[in-house]
Every structure is written in C-alpha cells, then in structure tokens.
C-alpha cells in the first residue's frame, strides 16, 4: 500500500530564508508525486509534479522538488521565503493502477516571519 | 478557462439529515474525484468517477455515495448525517483520471453538522 509522510506539521522560517518541507513516500511501484498548497478557505493548488524524466522538478512561485528514489523522498524547497508563501503544503502520491486517486500526507503548515 | 466549481460553499445540517454536494469540473475533464478534509484525519479519498462510472472508492461507509452525469458534472450525497461528517469536501477533476495527470481542485464545500 502507498503512503506519504511529511516530517513536521509546522515549519517556521524568516522572510528571505530557505524553505525546506520534507516528504517521504512508500510505494511498491514507481510513484507519481505531487506537491499542493492550500491557502485559508481555499482548495488545493498544484505546485509541481514528478511523473518521469528529470528528477529535479521546478514548479510555480519559485518552488522546486527533487525525486530521490534511493531515499524515497520528494522534498520541497524554495531558496528565499516570501510572506505570501505562508500556507499549508501537502505532498501526495498516486500510482499507475489506481486512476486519479491521490494519497496525501498530513500536511505542513508554513509560517513566514518578517 | 473556468476552474472547478463546487456548490454550495457552506452548508449547515443537523444529525440524521441528508445532503447533496455538487461539482462542475473544468471543461473537457472527464474524471472527478472527491476528498474529505478534517483536522484529525487530513485529506482522505472518497471516490472517483470517470465517464459516469465509479472507478475507485475509498474506505468510507455506504452513507457516502456519488454519481456523475453525462456532462461530467458530479454530485456526492451523504445520508443520515453524523457529527463526524463535519468537514471540508473537495472535488477535483482531471482530463482522463490517469495517475500521472494532476488533479485540479475546487474551493470545497464546508459542511457543518449540528
């Protein structure tokens, strides 16, 4: 069975500092991996995805993530945090034999201090 | 292109009642999935519909049901509401529900049970 673990339910950084949100997955078959962001009272917005090919994936708003199969990780990073990055971030996995079903991690709330 | 539209945005019901939530996918998308989001359980997959057929189902009781119409619009129904059904219900659509395609989410329906 597939699962996703996000390390740290809350992460706080200063404006301009590096953002690192951790995600580890478990899957018996090659996974497809996604990062979504959720702002208050809104749905989820796709930040980036990994399906095949290049393991370093660039997304919107300056975020990127690297797929590391040996570490079963897909950590999200951004070199310089902005106040507008404060939100909840979800890592998700889907697998090829389960259609559009996504399995989500528990989420990481990112706070950005001025 | 209009995004995923969910109606209503907010709903208040009492225990024992039933409720129907509606989701209009992005034009051209044929797959619709539903998720329940709660503080305690996080984001959990309810079911997925493709071409009017339920293709995938999560681990929820039979009180939760759904359907999809020929225009890809979807509804989900919850009967005999319980306090624990209070949640944000999110709908997501994708072109064909393939695992490597990103899901596009609506802003959700917040259901409160009194």
């Amino acid at each position: 069975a597939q699962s996703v673990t996000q390390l740290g339910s809350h992460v706080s950084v200063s404006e301009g500092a590096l953002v690192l949100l951790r995600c580890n997955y478990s899957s018996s078959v090659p996974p497809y991996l996604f990062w979504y962001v959720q702002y208050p009272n809104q749905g989820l917005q796709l930040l980036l995805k990994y399906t095949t090919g290049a393991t370093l994936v660039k997304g919107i708003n300056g975020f990127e993530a690297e797929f590391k199969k040996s570490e079963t990780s897909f950590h999200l990073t951004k070199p310089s945090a902005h106040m507008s990055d404060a939100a909840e971030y979800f890592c998700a996995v889907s697998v090829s034999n389960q259609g559009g079903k996504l399995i989500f991690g528990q989420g990481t709330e990112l706070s950005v201090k001025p | 292109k209009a995004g995923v539209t969910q109606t209503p945005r907010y709903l208040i019901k009492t225990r024992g009642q039933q409720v129907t939530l509606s989701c209009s996918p992005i034009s051209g998308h044929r797959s619709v999935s539903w998720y329940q989001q709660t503080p305690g359980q996080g984001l959990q997959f309810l079911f997925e519909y493709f071409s009017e057929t339920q293709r995938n189902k999560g681990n929820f009781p039979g009180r939760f049901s759904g359907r999809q119409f020929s225009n890809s619009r979807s509804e989900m129904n919850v009967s005999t509401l319980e306090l624990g059904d209070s949640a944000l219900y999110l709908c997501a659509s994708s072109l064909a529900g393939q695992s490597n395609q990103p899901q596009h989410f609506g802003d959700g329906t917040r259901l409160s049970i009194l």
Side-chain angles (χ1 to χ4, degrees):
Chain A
Q2 294 76 37
S3 66
V4 177
T5 302
Q6 291 184 238
L7 297 174
S9 58
H10 292 89
V11 170
S12 181
V13 300
S14 298
E15 193 173 18
L18 171 71
V19 175
L20 171 60
L21 304 182
R22 299 178 188 273
C23 172
N24 287 88
Y25 69 91
S26 171
S27 176
S28 57
V29 297
Y32 302 119
L33 296 159
F34 305 84
W35 274 100
Y36 286 87
V37 61
Q38 185 177 35
Y39 298 99
N41 298 316
Q42 293 186 24
L44 279 67
Q45 180 183 4
L46 179 70
L47 279 175
L48 48 80
K49 63 175 182 175
Y50 170 77
T51 53
T52 58
T55 56
L56 181 61
V57 180
K58 294 188 185 299
I60 62 171
N61 302 337
F63 286 94
E64 62 182 38
E66 186 170 11
F67 171 63
K68 292 187 176 180
K69 185 178 178 181
S70 61
E71 298 177 8
T72 61
S73 69
F74 190 57
H75 302 331
L76 182 71
T77 61
K78 181 175 180 177
S80 176
H82 192 272
M83 296 296 291
S84 60
D85 294 328
E88 188 148 24
Y89 292 79
F90 294 93
C91 181
V93 64
S94 69
V95 293
S96 58
N97 62 350
Q98 295 192 24
K101 176 182 177 181
L102 288 172
I103 296 169
F104 285 92
Q106 284 297 101
T108 298
E109 185 176 355
L110 175 67
S111 301
V112 182
K113 299 174 292 185
Chain B
K1 201 182 231 185
V4 177
T5 304
Q6 291 188 246
T7 57
R9 286 296 310 278
Y10 302 92
L11 208 47
I12 299 175
K13 293 287 187 180
T14 57
R15 280 183 301 172
Q17 287 186 310
Q18 74 159 9
V19 68
T20 299
L21 311 182
S22 180
C23 173
S24 293
I26 291 173
S27 177
H29 285 194
R30 296 171 61 195
S31 167
V32 173
S33 298
W34 290 88
Y35 294 83
Q36 182 195 63
Q37 185 177 23
T38 60
Q41 299 299 315
L43 281 153
Q44 294 186 288
F45 173 79
L46 280 157
F47 28 66
E48 179 197 7
Y49 286 86
F50 180 77
S51 291
E52 302 179 65
T53 301
Q54 186 180 89
R55 187 162 67 173
N56 238 322
K57 190 177 190 306
N59 188 26
F60 278 81
R63 300 185 297 106
F64 291 81
S65 63
R67 59 178 176 168
Q68 187 180 33
F69 302 95
S70 58
N71 62 357
S72 294
R73 191 177 70 84
S74 176
E75 291 181 345
M76 69 163 280
N77 183 277
V78 188
S79 62
T80 320
L81 287 164
E82 300 177 359
L83 292 177
D85 297 333
S86 293
L88 180 67
Y89 289 89
L90 292 165
C91 167
S93 75
S94 69
L95 272 172
Q98 294 177 356
S99 302
N100 61 348
Q101 292 175 340
Q103 301 282 321
H104 299 268
F105 285 80
D107 285 338
T109 294
R110 185 164 296 281
L111 176 62
S112 298
I113 311 301
L114 304 180

